[in-house]
Amino acid sequence: MAPVEDDWSDSEDELGSEVETAVLLGIPDGPIDTQSDLADAAVSRIGGTPAFLPAREPSLSSSQCANCAETMELLVQLWCPFEDSPMDRALYVWGCARSSCQKKDGSIRAWRGIRRNEAYAKKLEKKLAKKKQKEPISQSATSQQKTAKVNPFSLQNSAAASPFGLGTQIFGQSPPLPRDPSPPPPEESVEESDAESDSSEESLITALASTGLSSSPWISAPSYPPLYLSTTSEYVPPPPKAKLPPGVQIQDPLDDDEMKKSSKDGGWSLEGYENSLEIDSVFDRFTKRVGYEGEQCIRYELKGVPLPFSSDKLFDKLFPAPPAPPLPVTKPDFKVVPVQKRTYTPASVPRCPICNSPRVFECQLMPNLINVLRSASKDAGKETGGRRKKAGLESDEERRKAVEAALRASGSPEKRAMEWGTCMVFSCENDCCIGDAESGGGKCTESWREEVVLVQWDD
């Protein structure tokens, strides 16, 4: 992913077919009202309580704000296993809404939980072996790509499932195999794989059962009302063709080959931000890009490029200004200096302290998430009040308990409101389970690790 050109027009005669990018968008999709879904780690969500993958339940301190030390609410949980990995994987992001903690590091924290799925590991081993055997044959079948079947990890068959291989078909769907650029195996192999998938579905679903919270301190932690998180692909309008006087011809910079590079298969990876003195240009581009799907709460593009919110210090780190060419001082050497482009450079993101691998951009929380959480909380409060009145719960004792519950949920009577523009999550590019201390030196089967969150605040 890279930014969309600023000069796009909304005029009807300039708009063509929309271009699908490599970004998946997370959209709220109604309240979660079944306990089985709340307890399922493969069900992505906004708010609610976490459904953990590791058998050893993480400490409640994982969700503590680094500033006020209070337990924070879960903002999102994403089901996002890596492609060609035997590990189930989920990402958890907590946030503090205390006004005194805003604009401070540690008020938004992200963790990833992974657990080895033995049933899928066996299936994966067979598929990778078949893939290796068929590679010489499949090289000649490049032009005959076939749509891969979504594997049985999917517990919810979303109609908006992404048609392209991303390290994770997130939010309830795992990736088809294989994901790498080589073509899929011949048709007979695909059919065999489909049959195998169907027969092993029950065992895979069983393997995904999450740790229960019935006797856990997490069950009493503050939380927002839980909402489903569905997936949709991002579509943006293509750049308009320039309007030129009759008879004038230019070479179209976005010809067929270039359009292919700009599609979901390539993204706008070579496009950069202009190194302009107009400090609002980044924010203008952010709002324009987000405006194509205003309901988005999450942008997901593993190993992609984040969409910066504004021109701030974090923007300068991730998109450093290029060195300016020396300006000529003599008249004969006068020349026009083109505007320099800023490109994404993640060198400033700390490496994984466990395996020393680079951390890569995985997803970012969008401003609409704050609105969704606030709205869901208000609706839940009205519903609770209505039930209380219908049941005749108006005694002093009931009112006292209601006040205590409200104080526990907020942690303090202090004003609460999140003020960030976007929160970018950077994760270890590996599953990073090898060498875990809790594995005792043997084969690592699960892990719970904190990742890096970089926040651009809404000033």
Side-chain angles (χ1 to χ4, degrees):
M1 183 209 80
V4 177
E5 292 290 352
D6 288 334
D7 58 354
W8 283 7
S9 168
D10 292 331
S11 61
E12 294 181 0
D13 59 336
E14 289 183 337
L15 290 178
S17 299
E18 290 187 324
V19 178
E20 182 178 358
T21 76
V23 179
L24 283 178
L25 303 178
I27 309 294
D29 197 17
I32 301 179
D33 51 10
T34 63
Q35 190 58 41
S36 59
D37 282 351
L38 288 172
D40 192 342
V43 175
S44 294
R45 67 202 67 185
I46 294 173
T49 54
F52 294 114
L53 278 173
R56 289 180 286 273
E57 181 182 285
S59 167
L60 190 63
S61 63
S62 298
S63 65
Q64 285 182 345
C65 174
N67 302 288
C68 66
E70 293 291 338
T71 303
M72 301 184 289
E73 290 91 346
L74 180 71
L75 302 183
V76 295
Q77 174 178 335
L78 307 180
W79 169 248
C80 47
F82 282 171
E83 184 179 358
D84 289 354
S85 170
M87 296 291 186
D88 295 338
R89 182 176 182 273
L91 192 67
Y92 308 79
V93 184
W94 282 273
C96 183
R98 284 172 168 246
S99 59
S100 60
C101 296
Q102 302 308 297
K103 303 183 182 180
K104 294 181 180 179
D105 293 340
S107 59
I108 307 290
R109 300 177 67 182
W111 294 73
R112 61 171 166 86
I114 61 174
R115 184 180 67 186
R116 184 176 176 84
N117 187 319
E118 292 294 347
Y120 185 64
K122 294 177 182 178
K123 179 177 178 231
L124 178 65
E125 185 178 358
K126 293 179 181 178
K127 283 197 170 184
L128 292 179
K130 290 179 182 178
K131 173 185 165 185
K132 188 175 181 180
Q133 292 175 356
K134 299 295 183 180
E135 268 182 351
I137 299 176
S138 60
Q139 290 297 331
S140 63
T142 303
S143 60
Q144 300 179 357
Q145 296 270 346
K146 291 185 177 293
T147 303
K149 177 183 174 69
V150 175
N151 75 39
F153 268 151
S154 173
L155 302 187
Q156 293 179 328
N157 293 322
S158 170
S162 170
F164 53 88
L166 189 58
T168 65
Q169 300 267 19
I170 61 170
F171 314 151
Q173 291 190 331
S174 291
L177 292 171
R179 174 200 160 202
D180 65 276
S182 61
E187 183 173 357
E188 58 268 24
S189 243
V190 174
E191 292 175 352
E192 181 182 352
S193 173
D194 291 349
E196 181 183 359
S197 295
D198 294 338
S199 65
S200 60
E201 180 172 358
E202 183 176 352
S203 64
L204 287 173
I205 292 178
T206 302
L208 288 175
S210 62
T211 303
L213 297 179
S214 57
S215 59
S216 162
W218 288 95
I219 200 66
S220 59
S223 63
Y224 295 108
L227 303 173
Y228 286 108
L229 196 60
S230 64
T231 312
T232 184
S233 297
E234 181 188 47
Y235 291 89
V236 296
K241 294 184 178 180
K243 294 181 178 179
L244 301 173
V248 176
Q249 294 182 351
I250 62 171
Q251 183 178 359
D252 189 348
L254 196 64
D255 56 19
D256 292 341
D257 291 336
E258 190 66 23
M259 178 61 79
K260 292 176 182 178
K261 294 178 183 178
S262 299
S263 69
K264 62 185 179 181
D265 297 323
W268 288 266
S269 58
L270 299 181
E271 183 183 354
Y273 282 85
E274 290 186 1
N275 186 26
S276 171
L277 295 178
E278 184 185 357
I279 61 173
D280 291 331
S281 60
V282 175
F283 178 72
D284 290 342
R285 182 172 283 182
F286 179 90
T287 55
K288 180 175 290 188
R289 185 69 175 265
V290 175
Y292 297 126
E293 177 49 80
E295 287 190 77
Q296 61 182 278
C297 292
I298 304 291
R299 294 178 66 84
Y300 190 99
E301 187 188 6
L302 184 64
K303 297 184 180 181
V305 179
L307 181 66
F309 176 75
S310 62
S311 299
D312 59 3
K313 291 181 179 179
L314 179 56
F315 173 75
D316 289 337
K317 287 183 179 180
L318 296 178
F319 296 82
L327 294 175
V329 294
T330 60
K331 189 172 183 179
D333 293 331
F334 175 78
K335 64 178 180 180
V336 176
V337 179
V339 176
Q340 298 296 302
K341 294 283 188 178
R342 291 174 179 247
T343 55
Y344 175 56
T345 307
S348 61
V349 179
R351 299 175 73 90
C352 176
I354 307 303
C355 67
N356 198 38
S357 298
R359 280 192 171 102
V360 295
F361 172 75
E362 183 165 6
C363 67
Q364 64 189 106
L365 312 188
M366 304 304 287
N368 188 48
L369 178 61
I370 298 176
N371 299 328
V372 169
L373 292 170
R374 183 187 299 121
S375 177
S377 297
K378 288 181 179 179
D379 292 343
K382 292 177 182 178
E383 183 180 349
T384 301
R387 287 200 303 266
R388 187 181 297 117
K389 288 181 180 179
K390 288 180 180 180
L393 303 178
E394 293 296 329
S395 66
D396 290 341
E397 178 66 14
E398 292 295 336
R399 284 195 293 270
R400 182 184 65 79
K401 290 182 178 180
V403 171
E404 289 178 352
L407 289 177
R408 282 197 302 273
S410 66
S412 168
E414 179 185 3
K415 181 180 177 181
R416 294 169 57 81
M418 290 181 286
E419 301 175 7
W420 41 263
T422 189
C423 305
M424 307 173 188
V425 179
F426 296 82
S427 306
C428 176
E429 67 178 3
N430 299 318
D431 276 333
C432 193
C433 194
I434 299 176
D436 272 353
E438 54 262 38
S439 67
K443 182 172 68 173
C444 182
T445 58
E446 60 183 48
S447 182
W448 179 252
R449 295 296 178 191
E450 185 166 16
E451 296 293 7
V452 169
V453 180
L454 300 181
V455 183
Q456 287 189 292
W457 300 99
D458 186 8
D459 295 325

